[in-house]
Amino acid sequence: QSMQKRYGSDVKNIEIFYGANAKTCCYEVSFEFIDQFASYQYAQKAFIKKDNKLYFDNKKFVTLQLQNLGIALQNIYNTDDQCTICNVSYCSARREKEKAGRQVTVVVLI
């Protein structure tokens, strides 16, 4: 929305590329966590209940959020489908706590 206001960007021309993120295999959350998403009508689709535990599907939520903003699904690319918690090649605050390194984010406007 900010890009639309500031630069006149048209959502049909916006492409989103993002990399690895925490996956539902490891992203266990408290049942209260879901309350933070009450304002998002589609948020329920990003939560999975399994064995009396709740898991968050970050990739699904991000994709739904982008689609809700008008970004076409074919313009949303997850460039690395690995779990940042499972895969020790990535930094993970959930896995490493205060010893965790940080991921780098690059945003490009062309």
Side-chain angles (χ1 to χ4, degrees):
Q1 290 169 331
S2 179
M3 288 172 58
Q4 288 175 299
K5 290 176 187 168
R6 189 169 193 171
Y7 304 109
S9 299
D10 186 340
V11 292
K12 72 177 182 236
N13 297 323
I14 295 175
E15 293 182 314
I16 306 294
F17 296 83
Y18 65 101
N21 53 287
K23 303 292 182 196
T24 55
C25 55
C26 297
Y27 204 164
E28 182 181 349
V29 297
S30 70
F31 283 91
E32 293 76 28
F33 181 79
I34 202 168
D35 296 340
Q36 298 176 50
F37 297 86
S39 63
Y40 301 98
Q41 298 171 357
Y42 47 85
Q44 292 292 329
K45 297 175 184 175
F47 289 90
I48 297 169
K49 293 178 186 172
K50 182 172 62 175
D51 299 327
N52 293 323
K53 295 180 180 180
L54 186 64
Y55 296 87
F56 182 56
D57 189 336
N58 191 40
K59 179 181 176 181
K60 181 173 274 190
F61 181 74
V62 169
T63 300
L64 290 168
Q65 192 173 33
L66 292 167
Q67 288 181 290
N68 192 60
L69 292 170
I71 307 296
L73 184 58
Q74 64 267 22
N75 289 353
I76 302 170
Y77 306 91
N78 182 278
T79 59
D80 191 343
D81 204 26
Q82 297 186 48
C83 177
T84 55
I85 300 172
C86 289
N87 189 328
V88 295
S89 298
Y90 296 99
C91 301
S92 172
R94 284 188 165 249
R95 184 184 64 244
E96 300 166 352
K97 310 294 184 227
E98 63 278 344
K99 295 178 184 177
R102 296 292 178 251
Q103 311 290 57
V104 175
T105 299
V106 178
V107 178
V108 178
L109 187 64
I110 53 174

